[in-house]
Amino acid sequence: MKPLRSLVTAPLKAFSELKLLGVLLVANLCVALVQSAPLLLPALGHFGHSLAGQGRPFPSPEALVDFSKLLAQGGGPFLAGPFLLGFLFSIALQPVLAGGIVSRLCSQERFSLTDFARTCAGQLGRNLRLLGWAFLGLLPLVGLAVLVTVLMARAQKPTLFTLEGEQWVLDSPFSFWSVAHLALLGVLFALWRSSFDLARVQLFAEDQRKTRLAAWRALKQLVRSPGALLGYLVLGVAGLLAVLAFARLHAAVEVTSTGKAWLALGVAQLVAVVRLGFSVASTAFTVDVYRAMAPLPVPAPEEKPAPAAQMPAPGAEVPAPEEGAGEQAPSPTAPRTAEAE
């Protein structure tokens, strides 16, 4: 495997799947709608269906003040409830769409929504079990991260999690030890997430049913391949920087009219597409990692039939070596003979 080449081909493969990104964007919009519904419904009931707030100029200071009072009446649960609901829906969508995403990245045929939905449903049970094993495997990594943080705090080495508020304001929080600690946490998270993605690829490609073995095998393969882990980490950092850049573009849109409000909504969807594209690119990268690590299934059974095919049957004439070699090499029955033996 060439990690540098896969770092280029994986994003190109992901962003070329426009129909797949469209399906994921619709799913993301559904999650956003569920998350914002507890806020939108009271707002629409209070202000009406006009974005300008019942005919007032956009944005209306009176409407903003009234909306602030409406939020204050709900208190903390009014704001925390939608966030928690959207977070749960986002986690639930991961195993639902995982099988279809992996099958699409492993296939060279045209995108079919029916096949995508069928694969998602067929792989749902395995991906749900794999998600449970992934959360279980996250516990020792979190314990290791906490242990390193505690040891660095006792050694009086600064980390981003142990700095006081005054140090964030009066001094730069980034030092050698804090950056090294953050890099260690990034490597641990990349190891967990990449092994999770690689296990999903193994479940689909090998039609495995034992999710625990798939998760363990994926973790061992990535530990033995630091180049693949580093490539996955670089791809994740590149995706994070791209999302931050487009989020900065979204923040630069000043909402002073209804038209610019729709423009801000469109730029927000562009940010979502970039995030989803790099998420698919990470899965495409793990597909390349699997193809480089997995044993070749075709040449393996064809190595044994060669000496067995040269043995003549009882009472049969021995063919010439040139003719026998030329006729039996492409024979479709050779793999079956190997399987029978």
Side-chain angles (χ1 to χ4, degrees), residues 263-285:
L263 177 62
L265 180 61
V267 177
Q269 302 314 306
L270 183 60
V271 176
V273 169
V274 173
R275 179 180 63 84
L276 294 172
F278 274 95
S279 178
V280 175
S282 63
T283 306
F285 183 81

Side-chain angles (χ1 to χ4, degrees), residues 306-326:
Q310 295 178 1
M311 298 177 59
E317 297 181 359
V318 179
E322 295 81 2
E323 298 178 359

Side-chain angles (χ1 to χ4, degrees), residues 194-287:
S194 59
S195 62
F196 181 36
D197 288 345
L198 183 58
R200 291 192 303 186
V201 175
Q202 289 179 355
L203 289 179
F204 173 78
E206 301 177 9
D207 195 22
Q208 290 188 9
R209 300 182 184 275
K210 297 182 179 180
T211 54
R212 177 179 59 85
L213 296 180
W216 178 242
R217 282 182 53 195
L219 180 61
K220 290 193 300 183
Q221 288 176 349
L222 285 171
V223 169
R224 296 172 182 174
S225 179
L229 180 60
L230 179 61
Y232 191 93
L233 183 61
V234 170
L235 186 62
V237 172
L240 178 61
L241 294 178
V243 170
L244 291 178
F246 279 91
R248 181 65 183 86
L249 177 63
H250 174 260
V253 180
E254 297 182 359
V255 181
T256 57
S257 62
T258 305
K260 289 189 176 181
W262 286 109
L263 177 62
L265 180 61
V267 177
Q269 302 314 306
L270 183 60
V271 176
V273 169
V274 173
R275 179 180 63 84
L276 294 172
F278 274 95
S279 178
V280 175
S282 63
T283 306
F285 183 81
T286 53
V287 171

